[in-house]
Amino acid sequence: DIQMTQSPSSLSASVGDRVTITCRASQSISYYLNWYQQKPRKAPKLLIYAASSLQSGVPSRFSGSGSGTDFTLTISSLQPEDFATYYCQQSYSTPPYTFGQGTKLEIK
Amino acid sequence: QVQLQESGPGLVKPSETLSLTCTVSGYSISSGYYWGWIRQPPGKGLEWIGSIYHSGSTYYNPSLKSRVTMSVDTSKNQFSLKLTSVTAADTAVYYCAREKGLIGDLRGVFDIWGQGTVVTVSS
């Protein structure tokens, strides 16, 4: 299986900050990398697919980049509603699709 | 718009079979897409269980393959999950979700999710 490792595991930031979360794959996955946001007791929400494509309806302050093994999710200016847990997921090799362990973004 | 809703028992005894159904509204399953199940143990991350096409074609997570069966009922616009021989480790929120597309970089991208259903394995 392809292992996905996110860093950091948790992060404290303030409204208005620029935040970057990193995801590393255990082998090359080209650009088959997706990002999800999950709020407590809610289902995950797709933010970014294919490394850098913004899902319809997602604010443009979210962006993704990377290819191969290293990827980043950037939030350009944190809003109060962005405090959540973020997961990366590879869809290059199936089965199985695999997720990172999550990054919890908290208010400083 | 497309909506998914999970249903099934919230409590299952150890060694028994977990059975869940996902009802799709706003879209006919028989028109296409792969439909998947993902679970999340309490306080932990996400694990993909498997996906099914409207034709019945399936692919499963190898770690669960020996215990998983997925099926589709196009007449009811539903797809289902069965997980046998459950243990406490199978306690989780179970989500059903739609894969965004059929080919290329849209496969394995889950763009529409159900709200999730909690399943506890306990005697």
Side-chain angles (χ1 to χ4, degrees):
Chain A
D1 296 2
I2 297 176
Q3 306 303 315
M4 308 302 293
T5 304
Q6 292 181 231
S7 60
S9 295
S10 63
L11 174 61
S12 294
S14 301
V15 173
D17 283 354
R18 180 183 181 89
V19 167
T20 297
I21 298 170
T22 297
C23 180
R24 175 164 289 176
S26 60
Q27 65 185 72
S28 178
I29 57 170
S30 185
Y31 63 98
Y32 292 83
L33 190 283
N34 315 302
W35 289 98
Y36 300 85
Q37 175 194 67
Q38 186 178 34
K39 296 182 178 179
R41 295 171 296 283
K42 296 293 187 181
K45 173 187 174 182
L46 177 65
L47 299 176
I48 301 284
Y49 64 96
S52 61
S53 295
L54 191 67
Q55 172 70 356
S56 176
V58 174
S60 59
R61 63 180 180 273
F62 292 92
S63 63
S65 64
S67 65
T69 60
D70 294 317
F71 301 85
T72 58
L73 172 70
T74 299
I75 309 172
S76 61
S77 178
L78 270 177
Q79 299 301 301
E81 60 268 30
D82 299 337
F83 292 95
T85 299
Y86 292 85
Y87 292 94
C88 64
Q89 175 232 344
Q90 66 84 16
S91 51
Y92 173 79
S93 171
T94 178
Y97 301 128
T98 48
F99 292 84
Q101 82 278 15
T103 295
K104 187 173 184 179
L105 178 54
E106 299 175 303
I107 301 172
K108 184 183 286 184
Chain B
Q1 75 277 23
V2 182
Q3 292 184 309
L4 285 69
Q5 178 68 59
E6 306 88 350
S7 59
L11 181 63
V12 182
K13 290 182 168 55
S15 79
E16 295 190 345
T17 297
L18 178 159
S19 296
L20 296 175
T21 295
C22 182
T23 300
V24 180
S25 58
Y27 185 83
S28 172
I29 285 184
S30 56
S31 295
Y33 291 105
Y34 276 88
W35 306 87
W37 290 95
I38 299 108
R39 70 180 183 177
Q40 185 171 36
K44 295 187 178 180
L46 299 160
E47 180 181 34
W48 173 74
I49 300 170
S51 294
I52 187 166
Y53 193 55
H54 70 84
S55 63
S57 174
T58 56
Y59 57 115
Y60 301 140
N61 190 323
S63 68
L64 297 168
K65 186 175 183 178
S66 64
R67 299 195 291 131
V68 170
T69 302
M70 295 177 63
S71 60
V72 63
D73 186 338
T74 55
S75 68
K76 295 182 178 179
N77 221 35
Q78 296 175 334
F79 61 102
S80 299
L81 169 71
K82 291 188 186 299
L83 182 66
T84 62
S85 304
V86 297
T87 69
D90 296 309
T91 293
V93 178
Y94 285 75
Y95 296 100
C96 58
R98 187 187 79 170
E99 293 193 25
K100 187 175 174 67
L102 295 178
I103 59 172
D105 56 19
L106 300 183
R107 280 296 311 279
V109 180
F110 295 98
D111 65 338
I112 301 175
W113 295 64
Q115 65 186 29
T117 189
V118 176
V119 178
T120 301
V121 178
S122 175
S123 56

